[in-house]
Amino acid sequence: MLPEELPPLPALTRAEGELIDRYLEAADLLGRINPARHGDTYAALRAAQALARTAAALRDALALMHARGERELYGVTLAHALRVLDGERRTARVALPPDAVG
């Protein structure tokens, strides 16, 4: 059986695509660093080091958009792209997990 096809991404500029990619990359890294989740310090350290590079790439994508005259972030369109790329699951790892103490 073939896997379900993902819905198509909305039309994005190259800079918007880069913004979405770097944003999700940063969210993934923050999820790996999240101190409320189980993990080891070395993995968190490596993620933090990568986060610095990703933050610079995210900044560069936004600077390029601004320089090209793209002055507005179209939230509905960008949110749709984030959902297609599994952004809800990926950004959820940044939040605190449910309280296990009852």
Side-chain angles (χ1 to χ4, degrees):
M1 178 177 230
L2 293 175
E4 230 180 276
E5 271 192 53
L6 293 174
L9 278 172
L12 302 173
T13 67
R14 184 174 294 188
E16 285 174 326
E18 187 71 14
L19 169 65
I20 293 294
D21 289 343
R22 296 301 70 83
Y23 175 81
L24 288 173
E25 184 179 351
D28 290 337
L29 292 168
L30 283 169
R32 290 175 43 202
I33 298 166
N34 188 344
R37 301 211 175 257
H38 181 73
D40 63 82
T41 55
Y42 185 70
L45 171 63
R46 296 293 306 256
Q49 291 168 336
L51 182 60
R53 291 185 297 274
T54 300
L58 182 57
R59 177 207 57 217
D60 293 346
L62 286 164
L64 179 61
M65 289 175 70
H66 186 74
R68 289 183 175 174
E70 297 178 47
R71 300 284 191 249
E72 188 174 338
L73 295 174
Y74 296 97
V76 172
T77 302
L78 296 174
H80 178 71
L82 287 168
R83 284 188 183 91
V84 169
L85 296 170
D86 201 20
E88 289 176 312
R89 179 189 60 81
R90 294 168 73 180
T91 57
R93 292 183 294 204
V94 177
L96 286 174
D99 191 6
V101 178

